[in-house]
Amino acid sequence: MTSKYVDRGNIIKVRSSRKPKVFTPIFIISASITAFFSIFSLVNPVALAKVMTFIQTIFATQYGWMAMLIPILCMGFLVAIGVSKYGKIVIGGQDAKPDYNIFSWLAMLFTSSIGIGIIYFGVNEPLYAYYLSPSSTEAPNQMVAAREAMGTALYHWGISVWAIFSVAGLIMAYFVSKHKIRYLPGDVIEKSFGNRKWVPLTKNIMNVLAVVCSAMTIAATIGLGSVQISTGINQVGNLNASLTGILPYIVLFILLSVCIFAATTKKAGKGMQVLGDWNVYLAIAILIFGMLFGPTRYIINQAVQLTGTYIAQLIPRNFDMFLFSNDLTYSTTWDVANNMWWISWTPFMGVFIASISKGRTVRQFAFATMTIPVLFMLLWHSTFGGIALLDAVLGTGDIAKNAMESPEVTFFAILATMPWSKLTFIATIILLIMFISTTVTSAALSLARMTDYEGKEASRVRSSVWVILMGIIALTGIFATTLGGNDALNAVKSLATTLSYPYIFFFIIMMTGFIKQLMKDKPQV
């Protein structure tokens, strides 16, 4: 494509920059792999789940110890760099100003990642830990078992998670702003290690793996969220059986429509800020409602006790492999798998955090992102997870039964014990919709950047395609689930977790490359 301008009477042709490609090689390769596995999950979800579980078991047996050490490594890394002189480094340059205030920045981080999980797992995790974790099942008495269960639940959703996300976001933000690399994890390795023979292949494998892993992770989240929203709607409206069967599909269609609109609007960043803010406002409102109309004194006591338990367990818990417990598989099937699930989020979370973190300091990455969201999680677990555990230990056990048989119902079962349950059901449904919309939109924008030709532009067309593709994967999971069981959605989740095992090694290389590059750059701080 050429343009013309006149210079001293002569017409000179100048070649303009080419139009950005929508279907780039990395997009075609990663989308094809993603589509293949989505079809596999529909045709034979049981087989896929078995294959992924088998591979997971092999990796967990050999490298589970590494998965347990990653959070400790990230926490130590953030603390060290946060208190060092490098903590003063500002993403985008020393004069860069933040695009978002601190509340909106943290709100977008929270709602784009684990937001939806607080409703699904935030109430179920303490019960799972109480009935399954060796620290609870082998405790000397009921009181110790309950306390350990709450500590285990918060361990799965606490500082460990945010340390991993913060490191991924910090590394990507530094390289994108300082060295103008593409929004691709593999490019960090290329920039850090130069022309070494192993770099090109490692870079390309890492980039494709990062995209596929992210797409699968979000697809599983969409599917679980759609089922839970449908459950909430059914709780409110008491729908007939025929409508209940198609409701998840209707919900999914509405969610995808909202996400496509959000991802393609000209002011996507502003929209994400507003949506993230209101997500947090509504979540806080539901939390305060639960604290006021639930067993308030018990909740406050639970929060105090959980704080002490969590502080005491924070470091030791990351080293506990349960080697001599009655259930030797617990560590690999729960703790290790949980850490790997969060690592599978790091590719898109790193890109998304980097894209919204201009003007933030390394010290804010190190301490604000690693601690402030955890305070909210502590109160949420103490309130809703604490109520579920109280019912299991001293109550009827009905809530615990829901958690084991129909976990998507558990949160609504707790709200049903409080006043104005219909109203809080509706508020929860709205919160779920907002959480999913934020997560999927941020993922689509991140994937669009990651699969851009130059790794910079979140093309509207490409963003829409990723929303649709992730929706199709979720659709196959929901469809197979309605035919019987949760094998399809579990297969997709298992696949994302399995793909994250090789990503551990890339993640460690990225951290090494970041330290190497930081020492080489010698930034003025």
Side-chain angles (χ1 to χ4, degrees):
M1 181 178 177
T2 60
S3 59
K4 299 178 181 179
Y5 71 93
V6 178
D7 180 22
R8 296 182 181 180
N10 298 317
I11 298 178
I12 300 176
K13 294 183 178 181
V14 179
R15 185 172 298 277
S16 63
S17 59
R18 60 180 175 179
K19 186 177 181 180
K21 293 175 65 176
V22 174
F23 300 107
T24 60
I26 188 172
F27 172 83
I28 295 173
I29 293 171
S30 55
S32 299
I33 295 173
T34 305
F36 168 77
F37 281 116
S38 68
I39 294 172
F40 195 170
S41 70
L42 176 63
V43 174
N44 199 335
V46 176
L48 180 60
K50 287 182 178 179
V51 171
M52 292 301 108
T53 300
F54 176 72
I55 297 175
Q56 272 185 265
T57 302
I58 294 176
F59 271 105
T61 301
Q62 298 297 323
Y63 302 107
W65 58 271
M66 188 180 295
M68 295 298 291
L69 292 179
I70 284 289
I72 284 289
L73 181 63
C74 290
M75 284 187 273
F77 174 81
L78 289 171
V79 171
I81 197 170
V83 300
S84 73
K85 63 179 182 178
Y86 297 118
K88 298 178 182 179
I89 296 174
V90 179
I91 301 301
Q94 292 301 118
D95 297 326
K97 301 298 180 183
D99 293 326
Y100 310 100
N101 60 52
I102 188 71
F103 178 84
S104 295
W105 181 57
L106 290 172
M108 284 190 284
L109 297 185
F110 185 83
T111 56
S112 65
S113 53
I114 69 175
I116 184 172
I118 67 174
I119 297 176
Y120 191 90
F121 293 104
V123 294
N124 292 319
E125 283 272 0
L127 295 173
Y128 293 155
Y130 183 70
Y131 288 113
L132 300 174
S133 172
S135 60
S136 297
T137 57
E138 298 173 24
N141 55 61
Q142 204 172 50
M143 181 182 71
V144 176
R147 184 177 66 239
E148 292 296 317
M150 290 298 297
T152 298
L154 189 57
Y155 160 72
H156 287 160
W157 292 79
I159 291 178
S160 301
V161 178
W162 291 99
I164 294 171
F165 289 168
S166 296
V167 169
L170 174 59
I171 293 174
M172 185 59 63
Y174 179 81
F175 277 90
V176 168
S177 63
K178 178 72 174 178
H179 295 284
K180 312 303 178 186
I181 70 166
R182 299 180 298 173
Y183 280 96
L184 283 165
D187 286 27
V188 171
I189 295 176
E190 182 180 53
K191 177 61 184 176
S192 301
F193 295 96
N195 298 320
R196 289 176 172 81
K197 291 182 179 180
W198 56 270
V199 169
L201 179 61
T202 302
K203 165 194 165 183
N204 292 327
I205 293 175
M206 184 176 182
N207 286 339
V208 172
L209 183 63
V211 175
V212 176
C213 197
S214 298
M216 288 295 176
T217 298
I218 303 305
T221 301
I222 301 172
L224 291 171
S226 298
V227 172
Q228 193 172 22
I229 291 171
S230 303
T231 300
I233 294 174
N234 191 45
Q235 293 282 328
V236 174
N238 294 319
L239 306 178
N240 60 52
S242 59
L243 186 56
T244 301
I246 65 171
L247 190 57
Y249 304 104
I250 298 174
V251 169
L252 180 63
F253 176 78
I254 295 172
L255 286 174
L256 295 182
S257 300
V258 171
C259 292
I260 289 175
F261 173 77
T264 57
T265 182
K266 290 183 178 179
K267 297 183 178 180
K270 182 65 176 178
M272 290 293 291
Q273 179 185 5
V274 173
L275 194 58
D277 287 353
W278 280 101
N279 263 335
V280 174
Y281 293 149
L282 185 53
I284 291 174
I286 293 175
L287 173 61
I288 293 174
F289 178 87
M291 294 179 72
L292 292 177
F293 292 96
T296 305
R297 187 175 65 177
Y298 162 78
I299 291 170
I300 295 173
N301 291 337
Q302 181 65 261
V304 172
Q305 178 170 288
L306 179 55
T307 301
T309 302
Y310 186 63
I311 292 173
Q313 290 184 354
L314 181 58
I315 303 300
R317 193 68 174 77
N318 288 277
F319 294 94
D320 197 342
M321 303 298 293
F322 298 105
L323 291 180
F324 299 104
S325 71
N326 294 327
D327 183 4
L328 296 177
T329 65
Y330 178 83
S331 180
T332 55
T333 56
W334 283 93
D335 288 0
V336 171
N338 184 78
N339 286 348
M340 295 313 305
W341 171 246
W342 294 126
I343 290 173
S344 74
W345 284 69
T346 57
F348 106 81
M349 280 300 296
V351 171
F352 180 70
I353 293 173
S355 69
I356 64 172
S357 296
K358 175 186 174 183
R360 296 296 165 194
T361 66
V362 169
R363 190 159 292 141
Q364 286 176 319
F365 266 98
F367 297 113
T369 61
M370 191 169 60
T371 57
I372 294 177
V374 178
L375 297 177
F376 178 86
M377 293 303 300
L378 186 147
L379 293 175
W380 189 275
H381 274 74
S382 298
T383 303
F384 297 109
I387 292 173
L389 190 61
L390 179 64
D391 179 72
V393 177
L394 300 176
T396 63
D398 291 340
I399 294 176
K401 184 178 180 181
N402 282 318
M404 296 301 172
E405 297 179 359
S406 303
E408 68 275 5
V409 179
T410 311
F411 192 78
F412 296 103
I414 292 175
L415 293 178
T417 65
M418 302 178 190
W420 308 307
S421 58
K422 294 290 185 182
L423 182 61
T424 54
F425 284 178
I426 294 172
T428 301
I429 293 168
I430 294 173
L431 183 62
L432 279 165
I433 292 172
M434 293 170 68
F435 271 143
I436 295 176
S437 299
T438 308
T439 300
V440 177
T441 302
S442 61
L445 293 171
S446 296
L447 289 170
R449 284 191 178 94
M450 293 165 73
T451 52
D452 177 46
Y453 190 82
E454 296 179 347
K456 297 288 185 181
E457 181 195 11
S459 161
R460 296 182 188 180
V461 175
R462 201 163 43 247
S463 298
S464 300
V465 171
W466 276 116
V467 172
I468 294 171
L469 188 56
M470 289 186 292
I472 291 174
I473 300 170
L475 179 65
T476 61
I478 293 172
F479 176 71
T481 299
T482 59
L483 296 180
N486 293 316
D487 288 320
L489 288 176
N490 289 335
V492 173
K493 185 176 178 180
S494 296
L495 175 60
T497 304
T498 302
L499 291 174
S500 65
Y501 273 100
Y503 202 83
I504 284 185
F505 302 99
F506 295 138
F507 192 70
I508 294 173
I509 294 174
M510 281 178 64
M511 292 179 66
T512 305
F514 175 62
I515 296 172
K516 179 176 180 292
Q517 193 65 47
L518 203 60
M519 300 296 290
K520 182 180 179 181
D521 292 342
K522 297 180 180 178
Q524 298 297 318
V525 293

